[in-house]
Amino acid sequence: LAKTTQPISMDSYEGQEVNITCSHNNIATNDYITWYQQFPSQGPRFIIQGYKTKVTNEVASLFIPADRKSSTLSLPRVSLSDTAVYYCLVGASGGSYIPTFGRGTSLIVHP
Amino acid sequence: SQTIHQWPATLVQPVGSPLSLECTVEGTSNPNLYWYRQAAGRGLQLLFYSIGIDQISSEVPQNLSASRPQDRQFILSSKKLLLSDSGFYLCAWSVQLGVYYEQYFGPGTRLTVT
């Protein structure tokens, strides 16, 4: 399984755009990238997923460069409720799906 | 729509006592099922995963075990709890959508071993 590296923590302010970068240097050809959000005492919640280039949904955008060795989760205009831990995972699309979570990035949004 | 249930929500157990946590999934068939544990302030540790009835793989050797007696039921057990078993236990299921998988988590069980 490809290992991921993320910043341990980030701070931001309401209304700002937040970009969290994840490194996955040994990502395999059939791996795709998924981001989750976790609030205290809750299970992680799926945010966004992609394989290459850019993916956008109603919550976030995911930017993946051509070499796919990193990815950036972009949260537009964060609010206090976006304070959470964000996890980056890489996993294969074929066979059994065995996602492994790292320690994630703790994002704190200040008023 | 799919729903995942876990119970109990919280549990306080003495050291050496047995454990049984249950997870059920509704609205899907033949899901992959997972048990994770999260210690305070830490990331999620994958404990077990299952691709089918009675097909269980253990990721971490420990005093915990898992069983899947039915397609949508996943049980985490222990014969004798240790203090280090305290944590937040999460059940999850995944489904393949095209070339991607999506994973969904239950509400979790907060276990305190005293």
Side-chain angles (χ1 to χ4, degrees), chain A:
Chain A
L1 296 175
K3 181 180 178 180
T4 60
T5 303
Q6 305 174 233
I8 293 176
S9 63
M10 294 183 67
D11 288 87
S12 184
Y13 292 88
E14 284 189 292
Q16 288 188 337
E17 178 185 73
V18 172
N19 296 308
I20 306 174
T21 298
C22 178
S23 297
H24 27 80
N25 291 318
N26 59 340
I27 189 169
T29 301
N30 60 344
D31 282 344
Y32 55 96
I33 300 150
T34 311
W35 285 81
Y36 288 85
Q37 175 192 56
Q38 186 183 25
F39 297 113
S41 297
Q42 295 185 26
R45 181 176 71 98
F46 172 91
I47 300 177
I48 198 166
Q49 189 175 69
Y51 183 81
K52 61 181 179 180
T53 63
K54 177 183 175 182
V55 179
T56 298
N57 61 22
E58 65 278 6
V59 177
S61 294
L62 177 60
F63 298 93
I64 305 169
D67 66 5
R68 304 200 327 119
K69 293 184 182 298
S70 67
S71 59
T72 299
L73 174 72
S74 181
L75 304 173
R77 297 183 298 281
V78 294
S79 64
L80 296 178
S81 62
D82 292 316
T83 294
V85 177
Y86 293 82
Y87 296 95
C88 162
L89 283 77
V90 294
S93 60
S96 299
Y97 179 56
I98 311 173
T100 302
F101 287 75
R103 294 192 62 175
T105 298
S106 176
L107 171 66
I108 299 176
V109 179
H110 302 276

Side-chain angles (χ1 to χ4, degrees), chain A residues 38 41, chain B residues 6 8-13 19 21 35-43 45 47 64 76 81-90 107-114:
Chain A
Q38 186 183 25
S41 297
Chain B
Q6 278 187 253
T10 59
L11 190 61
V12 180
Q13 293 282 95
L19 173 72
L21 302 180
W35 278 111
Y36 290 86
R37 176 172 62 198
Q38 187 171 35
R42 306 295 296 275
Q45 178 187 31
L47 302 176
L64 300 173
L76 182 69
L81 284 169
L82 307 172
L83 285 175
S84 58
D85 291 323
S86 292
F88 189 45
Y89 287 81
L90 288 158
T109 295
R110 177 76 59 189
L111 171 66
T112 303
V113 182
T114 60

